[in-house]
Amino acid sequence: MSLIPYEVGRFSYVPGTRPYLFLLVLSSEALRAVGVLEKIIRIFAENGISLLQLKVSASSGGKLSIVLIADFKGREHLLEHVSRELSKVEFVESVRVIPPVVEGVVVDALSFPLTLMGQRVVIYRRAVYEGFIKSGWSRFGSAYGVLLYLAGFEAGRLAYRDHAQLVRDPLAQVRLAEALFQMLGYGILRVVRLDDERREAVARVYESFECELFKGAGEIRGGFVRGLIAGWLAERWGVKEEDILAREVKCIARGDPYCEYNIRVEGGK
């Protein structure tokens, strides 16, 4: 299965445009209504305005948020008219507009906080996470890798508790963890072997966001991701951190095609 990149931001940078961002809030009834989005898009089409971006979000409260970025270059006189027409669409409760920051650039400064499954989330671009991961290794060496492991372990524990509340079936929990791991950008996780009875597992991570930073280092670098997987399994198996042995046996930082982690409970049952 081929995968494609997904741009997550509510942000547009298209030189030569005059982008305006529209934030529409719709009532919960719009979620099951037919043709609402078509009516909204038609307003822009009928006024000869091209769309640069469209994103729809359903909040935990049931309301819909629609972010539309449109190029109004040469048509700014239509802004008030378009806003008024959008407000007339059934189920639309509010329409707010943000002008461009500079020519060709607009950012959603109306939506906050960012959430996933009802909990606040934070997005780090590579320039940020490379700073706090790579600089720590350069300053503190392998001790920093241990710190990342411990942080990842606790994060993995909490993640499993969330997953277990959403999905009770043990196999479905694994599929959910793999899907969320990928969706959040950590990498492509595949649990290739899992024995809950013996409490042993083998997991592979393709294109790990963490180890990718160290390609060519010649040695393993999976601290946070190793801890994340180990903590998730420890919570699943009901054991403490000191009972888990988590080893990274392959790593893209030393030239392997993927990172591979062997996780088991020391001493078995």
Side-chain angles (χ1 to χ4, degrees), residues 8-264:
V8 299
R10 285 119 30 236
F11 161 89
S12 179
Y13 169 56
V14 182
T17 64
R18 187 71 179 159
Y20 280 77
L21 186 146
F22 290 74
L23 175 63
L24 283 65
V25 177
L26 284 68
S27 64
S28 57
E29 290 80 6
L31 189 60
R32 296 187 179 276
V34 177
V36 178
L37 192 57
E38 179 187 2
K39 293 175 184 177
I40 290 171
I41 294 174
R42 189 186 303 140
I43 292 171
F44 291 90
E46 289 175 347
N47 286 278
I49 299 166
S50 61
L51 296 181
L52 303 175
Q53 189 176 117
L54 168 65
K55 299 203 172 180
V56 182
S57 171
S59 71
S60 55
K63 292 185 183 292
L64 288 180
S65 294
I66 297 179
V67 172
L68 267 157
I69 300 178
D71 182 13
F72 274 80
K73 188 170 186 177
R75 289 180 167 81
E76 288 180 84
H77 61 284
L78 293 172
L79 270 167
E80 187 175 339
H81 168 71
V82 169
S83 298
R84 188 166 53 248
E85 290 301 302
L86 289 171
S87 66
K88 293 178 183 177
V89 175
E90 188 178 10
F91 307 118
V92 172
E93 295 184 345
S94 66
V95 177
R96 301 172 70 187
V97 184
I98 296 181
V101 178
V102 294
E103 193 74 13
V105 178
V106 70
V107 182
D108 179 8
L110 294 173
S111 305
F112 187 83
L114 187 65
T115 63
L116 175 65
M117 299 188 301
Q119 292 187 14
R120 182 174 176 176
V121 295
V122 180
I123 295 176
Y124 295 113
R125 294 181 69 232
R126 177 173 175 142
V128 177
Y129 71 73
E130 181 173 356
F132 77 74
I133 292 177
K134 214 168 182 181
S135 65
W137 272 94
S138 65
R139 288 171 182 242
F140 307 110
S142 59
Y144 192 68
V146 175
L147 180 63
L148 287 172
Y149 172 80
L150 294 173
F153 193 94
E154 290 308 309
R157 273 194 181 282
L158 295 175
Y160 180 82
R161 292 174 191 173
D162 263 3
H163 299 172
Q165 288 180 354
L166 288 171
V167 178
R168 296 295 182 186
D169 178 68
L171 291 178
Q173 289 172 355
V174 175
R175 292 196 298 270
L176 177 64
E178 290 177 334
L180 289 174
F181 192 95
Q182 178 176 314
M183 187 187 76
L184 291 170
Y186 297 139
I188 302 167
L189 171 65
R190 295 292 181 263
V191 179
V192 296
R193 186 169 69 85
L194 175 59
D195 188 330
D196 286 323
E197 182 66 25
R198 295 171 61 90
R199 295 188 291 189
E200 297 176 347
V202 176
R204 290 175 184 167
V205 176
Y206 297 83
E207 300 183 47
S208 164
F209 87 101
E210 180 182 25
C211 298
E212 181 187 54
L213 299 173
F214 299 97
K215 280 188 174 180
E219 55 187 30
I220 62 172
R221 280 290 189 272
F224 181 80
V225 168
R226 178 168 61 98
L228 196 63
I229 297 169
W232 194 90
L233 288 167
E235 190 69 14
R236 179 185 178 94
W237 294 332
V239 298
K240 300 176 182 178
E241 184 268 324
E242 55 266 29
D243 297 325
I244 287 281
L245 178 64
R247 297 174 57 241
E248 184 175 18
V249 296
K250 293 183 180 180
C251 186
I252 59 176
R254 69 177 189 189
D256 295 315
Y258 49 79
C259 301
E260 183 168 296
Y261 303 94
N262 292 348
I263 317 290
R264 66 179 175 86

